[in-house]
Each structure stands twice: as structure tokens, then as C-alpha cells.
Amino acid sequence: MTAALPDLLIEPVVRAALLEDLGRAGDVTAAACIAPGTRMTAHVVARQPGRIAGLDCVRIAAVLMDPAVELIFVHRDGEDAAAGQRLATLSGDARALLSAERTALNLLGRMCGVATLTAAYVQAVRGTGARIACTRKTTPGLRALEKYAVRCGGGANHRFGLDDAILIKDNHIAACGGVGPAMERARASVGHLMSVEIEVDTLAQLEEALAYAPDAILLDNFSLADLGLAVGMAKGKTVLEASGGVTLQTVRAIAQTGVDVISSGALTHSAPVLDVALDAD
Amino acid sequence: MTAALPDLLIEPVVRAALLEDLGRAGDVTAAACIAPGTRMTAHVVARQPGRIAGLDCVRIAAVLMDPAVELIFVHRDGEDAAAGQRLATLSGDARALLSAERTALNLLGRMCGVATLTAAYVQAVRGTGARIACTRKTTPGLRALEKYAVRCGGGANHRFGLDDAILIKDNHIAACGGVGPAMERARASVGHLMSVEIEVDTLAQLEEALAYAPDAILLDNFSLADLGLAVGMAKGKTVLEASGGVTLQTVRAIAQTGVDVISSGALTHSAPVLDVALDAD
Amino acid sequence: MTAALPDLLIEPVVRAALLEDLGRAGDVTAAACIAPGTRMTAHVVARQPGRIAGLDCVRIAAVLMDPAVELIFVHRDGEDAAAGQRLATLSGDARALLSAERTALNLLGRMCGVATLTAAYVQAVRGTGARIACTRKTTPGLRALEKYAVRCGGGANHRFGLDDAILIKDNHIAACGGVGPAMERARASVGHLMSVEIEVDTLAQLEEALAYAPDAILLDNFSLADLGLAVGMAKGKTVLEASGGVTLQTVRAIAQTGVDVISSGALTHSAPVLDVALDAD
Amino acid sequence: MTAALPDLLIEPVVRAALLEDLGRAGDVTAAACIAPGTRMTAHVVARQPGRIAGLDCVRIAAVLMDPAVELIFVHRDGEDAAAGQRLATLSGDARALLSAERTALNLLGRMCGVATLTAAYVQAVRGTGARIACTRKTTPGLRALEKYAVRCGGGANHRFGLDDAILIKDNHIAACGGVGPAMERARASVGHLMSVEIEVDTLAQLEEALAYAPDAILLDNFSLADLGLAVGMAKGKTVLEASGGVTLQTVRAIAQTGVDVISSGALTHSAPVLDVALDAD
Amino acid sequence: MTAALPDLLIEPVVRAALLEDLGRAGDVTAAACIAPGTRMTAHVVARQPGRIAGLDCVRIAAVLMDPAVELIFVHRDGEDAAAGQRLATLSGDARALLSAERTALNLLGRMCGVATLTAAYVQAVRGTGARIACTRKTTPGLRALEKYAVRCGGGANHRFGLDDAILIKDNHIAACGGVGPAMERARASVGHLMSVEIEVDTLAQLEEALAYAPDAILLDNFSLADLGLAVGMAKGKTVLEASGGVTLQTVRAIAQTGVDVISSGALTHSAPVLDVALDAD
Amino acid sequence: MTAALPDLLIEPVVRAALLEDLGRAGDVTAAACIAPGTRMTAHVVARQPGRIAGLDCVRIAAVLMDPAVELIFVHRDGEDAAAGQRLATLSGDARALLSAERTALNLLGRMCGVATLTAAYVQAVRGTGARIACTRKTTPGLRALEKYAVRCGGGANHRFGLDDAILIKDNHIAACGGVGPAMERARASVGHLMSVEIEVDTLAQLEEALAYAPDAILLDNFSLADLGLAVGMAKGKTVLEASGGVTLQTVRAIAQTGVDVISSGALTHSAPVLDVALDAD
């Protein structure tokens, strides 16, 4: 099961999203039409089948608007939901829940969308030994949540930011005057727990890079044939990551070349939202 | 031309996105591999054709990392870009620009994606008189930017939040004991500049609602036939908004019924990112 | 009854106000003189008659300093209090309540002051059909609270900010080259739920503006005679708002001209505070 | 001349006020009606005579919206302005200046209002040797600015918060079991630079307090006769502060009793705004 | 007993410290290795003898990570702990407590370190009548906590910042043209509760300063002999503070000269941490 | 040379530190004693020899108070300074520079202190091949700056937080039921760029851990003899880190055992400040 993020990381995002929606005057429709003290029970429902991620956001949004809300979660992040399935039931102040509804669903739908797309990729490579990984192409402000949703989908995380691993690209190699100097400078400048990956465009570069024992090598836009050759050259010596041109249609063939990791920005930047709704009892 | 948002609204979003990427240690790869003081010129390029939105984010990200950066913008938000077209050129500190790259592209790509999808909907209804509008189904934290991107795509904005217009839905009608009491409470509770819209599910409800002269009526999941009947009943008496089941395939037929506004959450919650990149000289 | 603002909007204001008062070292007098664990019961009392607004601020200030405080509210926002009347009773940690006292009273007194002055204006126009409205001349940082206090006083709210309605003034008309182009540009640039109001200085301008069917027209500094003529020309065609030179002495005569709305910045920018106090048992 | 506050303290207040007004979409009227790049020159004008305070807020608001704005200040904080007098001239981007206008004037008008009322009190006691002081009854969020405005009006500041001086009141005395124990605890608990003031209600309490050499004694709601007696008992031994029932009508008589300081919350909580405006060239 | 700071002042510091440690992904080790729902009991233990300060930080860190944590505090701030002594026991969610551990100990260890060093100085001057005071040489961001820790150590606080007392140094005297003008400007510019201290380098300056009756005089880097002469000249006329060259070895001799206060930045800027740990049951 | 942190990471820390010192009223002494517009030139001087770190904090503090300040830096972070050496010269507004002085020096002194102590450790192990590393025992709020200061001292960084590497300790091993399950769970739960280190207490545990090929093994409180045996067993198979009981006296002997990394919390939690000052011209 995917380990949840601490509330301390989620709450500021949910709070900011609620405030963005409440604006300066709050929910003027609920204030006008719903008598104070009115109670309401409503169900969070998946309208489409998909992989669940983000129920903590629903909980926190509801609690922020009504600290006394009662919540029953009948599913957990990382599980699959069928179309029409209830994920949770909320009972509380009607104004508060109606005001929280859109924010809760915006976050849940987006995170389920990321998890669902990731799960499809993971399913596509089942049995090949390859892992599916996301990138830093995440929604600004939501990186921690989207990376978590990728994990709920069965995927793995790449770097969380510019600061937690070295990824040497063509500009860096050029600035250092070659793969060797770049690798040496990278190793020298970081502590013993920071990994170093290098991006290569050709098999020749791959060979050159291997000599410096990077923790991983990113094979950028390699053809299937070249991926196969790369695996032959490097399998077991380092982690081989394929990236570029990855789609649900192509991912299994890429995986079958034997690479260890396949990464795709689309998991986070272009996953369509999962259709989720709040249905009043 | 679409009027730009003030920097005061954009800067906090860009700054937070940069900090999310820089983490605690900053760009360790650039720090290791790029000598301090190294200069760089790079071009922001659209790899796909699309509608431009978000160049201010690129500018602000670059300036936040290098206050002395030189920027040339060869396109403006709201214009169309061809595949391969340069949108801007940045000259400045190499470390700073490489550190800003992903944040700038994440924001630009997402906003261009929203604008491009919106433009496709707008193009699809050209000549019908219908306007395309977004909803509150936006990315948490990015509402102002995504609503702006919709405008860059030629679309119109619906409510910006829960506080700037009344939108009476089924739960509110039920809580008030009918369309009439709901409309009356709504009008009584807000000032003279706040509009009141009501959502209806049937033609009967539409007729009932019309009697209270709302500023707009949302026709929720109406069939094309019913939309046509609704237009016959209400055209010119109020603004008619169609919502539900709107796709690029269906939108023109919906528009041809004569409704005034067609709204879709997909413009913001499921627009695929536009592929944009930063190419070093 | 006036609908309360969500705590999520109030709490940051109260918290910031407490922190402003606590400074770096907290309440040094209470720390020196009150033994830890000392209990206290105290009553929030109105020393003057007035309209109540802001009891939520008292509650939140008390809870932020002592989460276990017990609170009894014997009045509600929107009710009238007589001089000497108890509004609430607080029982809790003595240090905490003494530290919260000034912040709670500063907010309550100010909001009651706004509500009380508004109620006086509303009373003055009773029976005329005119509504009293506030403006954007609010205290920086307290707009949501002061607009709410106006509602507690029986008044209506004008725009909440620059972004939730169009208000075309002389500079805008001049920049557009006339009332007509300004109205057209305004309508074209906003969504179907955003209202457009235009400010006019003369009857001639009023006539010109009426042709473009704005949602409201602001009659700026019109004489009583001209207000009467304006009502004759425009009543029922749009909302007529009178502004300028409004005082408690003049407001009834203005209302009797038949205008729909009378707005005054003085409700928020110059309302004297209502004298409220915390009396220990 | 009154020493200005550092921009670092003012800027967050002005920025928050601008953001409160800009909301999510910015100034939609300016965006619709003013062509981008339009220039504008405008003058900040006092419509009433008064004491100036807050020009830095005008400057910062203008610069935050248009970093290239040109500013000419023809007056300074602490000077008196006649009705109709120009205080400053701003030349810059028209959209930016129109968007900043209300925020700048809200702050300037409020601060001038506080300074003007303070100056009237100071004028009323001229020649008596008494100083006029404000209290902690300030607008939440604006304490630093309002305390500064009091100084611009020629007044002095009392405590800035709960943490920078001891002020022993009746509750504290009761909790300690008398004036003596309260004074002793107070002295023992703070450092050598923190002053200790004690509030007394009677001449008997005054006598008791004097024995403990407080830095100041607050005479709360004393009659003029008792104030005179108090001065006779204590003048020169400590600072004597009169408070309670202070108005422009009563303040000179109070001062003539010989007290050192007269404090009034009305300076900050009930000062009417000074009428200031932005007039376009 | 030292009066605790309000949670409102401590919580933001602890929250920020936790977020600094949790980063974007939270505690990945606990997430990987500890099953959700696992319970844990652990003890906060002093590994060295020392003066306790900061237990509120431990409590708040634990509660922020696990709102249902059970806490037993067997000691209080301001007490002395022996090596190996348990200070508190925490029972709660194992992941949460392990994630909070380092942040809680970093704060506790640092504050105990400050309190312990202060207590050593206080012990060194016992019986002399001199008080030990800290300075503004505190850790950025932790001033309130470190000043509190000094109080837990039996020390007194000097200024909390640039704004709560006047401290005239050589640059200020030079800018004013002498001690007299500096003292006069200082008195004239502040309210009746703000103290004025002046720093002097020589006995001649001391004599000059005494004529202006400052609330305190800082004797900067005076020899023991000169301190004795200074006490002879000024004892009882003002508060005499010795500063400069103060160490645990020299402090008693300094105190024996008869000065009232001895201040040292080392209490806060160079106190070694006290070794504290969290031991699981 | 040590790569600088981006200003975007430093500025919020410096700004918060300045605001902490300026409080509500700013520098009242400078405001009273220094005429507005007075210019000043001053030098940042090291009073003790040491390793420089933190000059960017000085620059940013000065610029935040006086955006027009002129700065000349005659040294760089990572260089050694002799006692009395000038590090930088600042020319600008006297009030601004005096107000920034303490904040700038507090940050600079602390960072130089960390760098200087680190450099001493690095010097002590010169020629052994061992690297000196810091820990997460940093000052809350200053982790990024202190980790940077360690790099300026020639040291290496361990984890930046709980989220950028796995460090399995005894509690985790116990919860998983052994070293093997813990290693397996750790590897399975993280992406390919996250390192896994495990802490062992005995040579037997070391042997067990080696079988799972962790990226590093922390030898906790091993005797010198056991460290030597551990090196014999594991050198070259993984990174060996020694921790516990590390002092300037013991570090060389530890390094001579052949371990790769020696880590010590004292580098950050107990480094005495370096004495730095601002001397006016």
C-alpha cells in the first residue's frame, strides 16, 4: 500500500485552494440559500473507473470547513474504483460541505487522473521488469501530491527537484568539456547519498558514460533498436532509464528492450482528470 | 488582445514554483557543472502548433533567478505559434537560466495547453454566436492563470470563485423549498452588482425559473432537442448557458441550438500540455 | 439574519492581529503577574447601544489563545445591543484571555462601529425603497470583515474588489473615446456573470449611457433635482446608484428621489468605533 | 521631522492591500478600457486641510504596480496641507496607476486622518507641557503605520504591544494580591530596559503605587480635581499619564492639571479619514 | 518559574522546522519501513546534565505530526536535569513520532544549551547582585525562543529588537555631535515607556552621559579597575551594564565590581547544544 | 570554489531576520540620532581568523535595507580570512546600514563559525581519504545555509531532510523484522535515484547488511578497532560512514581506519560563532 503523505504537507495546499475559491466573501450562494445549521450527508463517487489517489485532500477540505464533520472512507488511495462506486461519505454542516465540494473534487479528480494514467502504463509493462517513473514536469504547487499519486498508480518517482539528485544533460556536458569532467565534478560536489545520473543521446556517449560508473543513465529518445543495444552494453552495470516518445502504445515495446526504468512527463502534465462527484443523500 | 494580469498576481505563483523545484540546496547539477559567471542564450520554442499563453511566467521566472537577464519576446499571449517557432530569447547567467527552465516551461506549457484547447472549441463554434466559457474546475493554486489562459484562447470566464456570483443548484433549490424562494433569497442577500444564475434540469424548471428573471440560466445536461426548445422559450430574456457532455465533437451542434454560452470544465482540468522547450544557442 | 463568513477567512486576520500585539515576547504583564493555570470568567459588554458585528472574531481570538476556552454567546451579529448589555461570556485561562482582550475588542469595536453607522443610514431611508451600500473605501486588510459588518447593519455590498465587476469612470470613458466604446469594450472583455456599471456626471451622459443598457449607473455628485430627473429618465431600465455628499442628514432626501442604491465610503472609512469592553467577573 | 519607517515594514501591508483589491482577476475595468502602454500623469491631492502621513504608502503602491513609475513628492509626512493642495505627482502606466489608486488613497487617507486628529489634540494642549499619546486601540494589521501617523501628528507612542513594557491593571493587581506584590513580580520578571507602568483608580492607590517607584502611573478616569491632587502628590517622582474621557473639548483642562502624558484610543480607532484623491492631469 | 511563551509564537517556528525536514516527500524511511497504524512509546532523555528549556517545542512538534499523541511531561522548563533523566514520554503513531524526532530534539537541545550556559553564568555571579543578560546576537528566526531560554537559565533579557529601547552607540553620538544632543534627540523621539541606554568607552564619557540621566549605561570593554571606578561614580544613579570580554572565567570578577547587569552574546550565539535524545521503549 | 545558493533561497531567511529585529517600529535609535540622508561607509571585518561563509547574507541584508547600497567584496565564501581582515565594504544610507548591521553579522558569524569548524575537521583528516560530513542536526530554519557553510568549510553534506535519502535505523529494522526485510522494503518504495543507507551497531549487523548492497552503511559508535575490522570487511563494497564520538581530537584516528565518511552533528549544532564586526570608516 502506498504510504500517505503527512497532513502537514497536504494541508497548506488544500487550505490555499479553499481560500482561492472562497475569495473575499465566501460562498454567497450557500449563505443565501442554506439556513445556518442545516445538516447534509453526501457521498464522494467515482463516475468513471480508475485508480484512487487523494482521499486525504477530501478529508482535509471537509475538516477545514467543518471541524466537526463525520467522515467514512470506504476505499483507500491505491485501490481501484469501479464506475459509480462510493469512495467516502461525509456528514456535516451543509453550507460547509457545499463550499468545500469543488476544491475537494478538483484535487481528488486530478490526483486520481494521475494515478489512473500511471496504473495504465504500469499495467502495460507488467511482467517486463521495467518500472514506470514520473518526471519534474508536474503542476506548479502540486509536485508532492502528484508524485504521491504516481506512487498510488504503482509508478516510481524520479527526482523531486533540482536539489536531490544530479542529472547531467547536454548543456552540462558541454560546459564541462565532456562526459568525464562532468561526472568528476558532479561526484566531487555532492555528498555520499546523492545519486548521479547522466543523459546520453547516442551509444557512443553511453559507452563513454559507463566508464564513470554513474548511478543511472538516461537514454534520451533512443530507437527501440538502440535501446536493445544499450541494454546489451550496460545492463547490470547501472540503472538504464528510457525517456522520450513514450506513450501507452509504445511503452510495452520499450520495456521489452530490457531497460530498468521508463519515464514520462505525460503522467503528470497531461493526465485527464478522473470524473468524481459529490452526491447528496 | 487579451489584457495581461498584473505581475503582482503572477509573481507569487512563479516564485513558489521555483522554490518547489530548488528545494533546500538549489540546482546541484548546475552548481557542479557550470562555472559561475557563465553566460547563456536560449530560445523558448513551441514544438507543437498552439495558442500562446503564459509568457509573463517565463519572464518572471527568468528575472527571479537572474535579475539582469535580457529578454526578447517575439510573440505575445493570444497569438498562434507554429511548430518550431521561437517565442522568446533569454540571455543571462547560465546557472540561473538552467535552474529556471523547468518551472518556466511547466507553467508555459500548461497555460498554452489550456489556451490551445479553448481556441479549438472557439474555432468549432465560429459563426454561431455562442461563447465558450470555463468553469471553477481549475487546478488548485492556478485559477487566475488558467482563467487568463482561457481568455487567451478566445474563451470567456465563468465565476472566478464562490464569492463573485450566485449560482443556484439543485441542493440550494431543495433547501429553499423551490425555485422562487431560492431566487428571492439570492437577490435579497447580495448587492446590485452581483449576478444570479440558476441551474435547471428540465424545461419545466426553466419555465419556472424564467419567471424570476435570473441574469442567466444554466441548462444542465439538456439534449440537443431540449436545448432548442429552451432557446425558443427563453432566448433574449436571459443568458442561456449549456453545460454537460460538451466535447470538441459535440460543441458545434450545441452552439447551433442558439444558446449564448457553452461551458466546459475540460478546458482547464484536462487540457494536455503544449510541448514547449528551451533550446540553448 | 446575516450569514456568517467562514472561519477560514476570519482566522488569518485574527491570528495576525494577535501576533502583532504579542510581538516577540508575548504578554509580559500577564506572565509576570498571573500565576499559570489561573482561571477567569469575563463578559464582553457593549458600553454604548449599537448594532452587533464581529462576535466570531472574539470567539476565534479566545480560542487561538486558549483552545479549551468556554464561550457563551447571548447575542448574535446583526442584533441590536443596549448600553451595558452583555454579548458573550468567556471562561478560561486568565493569561490567555487577558492577552486576547485588546485584539478581540479592537476587531469587535470596529466592526460594531461599521454596523452601527450602517444601521443608522438604513433606518434613515426606511420606507423609501433605497438600499444603502458600502464602497471599496475599506480598511486595508479588513475588507471582507467590514463588508460583512455592513451587511450586519442592513446595508448592501458594492464591488468587493477591482475584479468582480466593471465600474467605468471618467478616465476609462476618456481613454476609450466615449461612453459607447467603453461600454462595448467592457461587455466584450468579461464573462456573462460580470456586471457592468458606469459612472456619469450629467443628465446628458446618463442619457448616452442608458442606450448601452449597463447593469447599473452611478450618478456622481448629482443635485437632488438632477437625481429626480435621472430617476424619471431611467427608473426601471437599470439600477440607479447615487453617490457623493451622502451624510446621515442628506441621505433620506436622496433616497426620496427614487434612486435604487445610495453608496457611501464613510460607512467603512470613518465609522467611529463602538465602545466595547471585557469585564472580569 | 518624523523619521520614516523602513520600507521593509510598510511594503507587506501595501502589497497585501493591493492583492486584496486585485482579487483573482485584477482590475477588469482598466484591462477592458485602457490600451496597454497608455501613459498617465496624476496628482495626489488633499481635498481637506490636514496633517500629512503615509506618502510612503502611495510611493510603494505605485512602484509595486509600475516599477518604472516616476514620482515627485512636493510635501513630506509631518507637514500640514491646505485644502486642494497637491502632495505628489505620479507619471506612469495608466492601468497600473488606476489599479493602485484606491489602495494608495485608502492608506493615505486613514493615516492622514490619524495624524490630523492627533495634531488637533497636540494643538489643544500647546504650552501646557503635556504630551498626547496613542494606545493599543489601533486597527488590526496597521499598528506600526498608525503609531507612525500619531508621531506625524506630533503625538507620542505608548506601548507598541503586550511585549515591550509592563502595564499593570486592576486584574493583575488582584491576581498578585496587591500593588506591592504586583510591582515586585513585574520588576523581577523583566530586563533592565523594560519600563513598568501601573494603572490606578484612586488617590489612595496612587499613593500605594508611588512607594514602588514605577516608571509611570496611569491615572484612569480621574476627575480634574483628582488629577490636580495626583500631580501634587507625584509630579517629578514618576511619569503621570491621564486616560479616560479624553476629548478635544476636555483635553486642555486635563493638560492644565500638570499631568505629563494624556492618552486616547480615539486617535487611532475613531479618527475620520482625511479626504484625499488622485486627479488625472 | 519562567512563564511560558504562548503557543501562537512557538507553533510557526516548529511547523517551519518540521516542513524544512519533511521536504517534498516526507519521511521516506518511516513510510517504507513502519506499517501504518504502528504505535510507539518513547522518552525524551537528557544525556548530559543541564537546565531544561524548550519542552513546549517537543509537545508542539509531536502534536503537529500526530494530533492524538499522548504526552507526559515529568519535568518543566527552568528545572535542572541530571544525565540520563527522562524529561517527557510520548505515545502515539510511530511514523509521526519518528518524523518529528529530529526537529523536536534540534529545538530542545539548542534551547537547553542556551539555558544551561546561562545558568552557569548566573551561578558564577551568585551573591554579587549582578544580573546576567543576553543580547541581540541570537539565531535568526529564533530570537523569542532563545530569549526565553535565557530566562529559563535565570538570566535577564536585554532589548528584544531595534524597536523596543534606545541604545545609543558611538556612531549615533558622532552623528549627533556629542552625548548631550544624542540623549536629547533620543528622549524627544520616543514615548514615555521606552528606555534609553547609552554606550560609553571611557570614564570621561560616563561622566558626560550621567548628566543626562539615561535609564542605563553600557560600559563597553572596561577594565576591571575602570568598572570599579564607574560603579563608584554612578551606582544608584542609573543601571550600569558591563559588556565585552565576558567569559565564565571572568564574569565573577566583573560582577564583583558592583555593576548591575553583565551582558554577553555568547549565551545565545555560541552555546553548545545540550545532548538530548528520544529513546524508544 | 563552493557554488553559491540562489538568492531566492537566502532572501526569505534574511528578510525574516531583519523583520524580527526591526519589530513594529524599526530602529528607533537610528531614527532618533541619524539625520535622514546621512551617508556611511563601513567595513565587514573578521576579528578572528576563520573560513568565510555567508557574504551573500551580508549583501542581501544591506540591499533589503538600502537598495542603492554600494558593495565591494574583497573576499569570497570558501576563502580563509586572517584576524582583522576586511571582507567587504558597504557604502550607503547610514540609518539603513546601522539597522542591517546586527542581522547581517548574526548570519555571517554563524555561517563562518560552521565553516571554520568544518575546515578544522577537514584539515585534521587531510591525506586520509576520508570526507567530513554534517548531519540533520542543524539550526531550525537555517538548514540550507548551514549545509552550504559546511561545503564552504570543505565538508560534504549528508541528507538534506527526511525525504531525499533512506536512512534505516534500529527502530526501522525492528519494525520490519530484520535487516533484510527493511532493505527490501526500502528499495521497493523509492525511485532509482534515491540512495539507501543503513545504520549498524555491530560487525555482525554489518555483515548482514552488506548482503543487501546498501549505498552506504553507517557504523554507529564503533570503536577504532571495530572500524578497522569493518573497513576490512566492506571497503569498496559500499560507502562506510563513521558516526558517534567524533571530536577534533579523535577524528584523525577515525579517518585512519579507512572509513569513507565521518559525520558529526557538532559541525552545525555546536560551532561557536566567528567574531565578525562592522567598522565604520
Side-chain angles (χ1 to χ4, degrees), chain C residues 15 18-19 23-26 31 95, chain E residues 1 3 5 8-9 144 160-161 163:
Chain C
R15 180 184 293 268
L18 284 169
L19 289 171
R24 283 164 299 221
R95 278 187 182 170
Chain E
M1 209 187 63
L5 286 173
L8 219 59
L9 292 183
F160 274 78
D163 65 326

Side-chain angles (χ1 to χ4, degrees), chain A residues 1 3 5 8-9 144 160-161 163, chain E residues 15 18-19 23-26 31 95:
Chain A
M1 209 187 61
L5 286 174
L8 219 60
L9 291 183
F160 274 79
D163 64 327
Chain E
R15 180 185 292 267
L18 284 169
L19 289 172
R24 283 163 300 222
R95 279 185 182 172

Side-chain angles (χ1 to χ4, degrees), chain C residues 132-190:
Chain C
I132 299 297
C134 57
T135 68
R136 282 169 45 246
K137 296 181 180 177
T138 56
T139 307
L142 301 181
R143 184 166 290 170
L145 292 180
E146 290 185 346
K147 294 248 169 195
Y148 165 78
V150 166
R151 300 196 295 277
C152 291
N157 295 145
H158 210 290
R159 290 198 294 176
F160 274 79
L162 290 162
D163 64 326
D164 61 338
I166 294 257
L167 180 46
I168 302 170
K169 300 192 182 183
D170 49 1
N171 286 322
H172 305 112
I173 295 173
C176 292
V179 163
M183 282 298 303
E184 276 157 19
R185 284 212 219 161
R187 286 285 184 214
S189 74
V190 297

Side-chain angles (χ1 to χ4, degrees), chain B residues 34-55:
Chain B
I34 312 285
T38 306
R39 306 288 300 173
M40 176 185 190
T41 294
H43 309 282
V44 178
V45 178
R47 297 230 183 285
Q48 295 177 292
R51 177 66 55 90
I52 304 170
L55 289 174

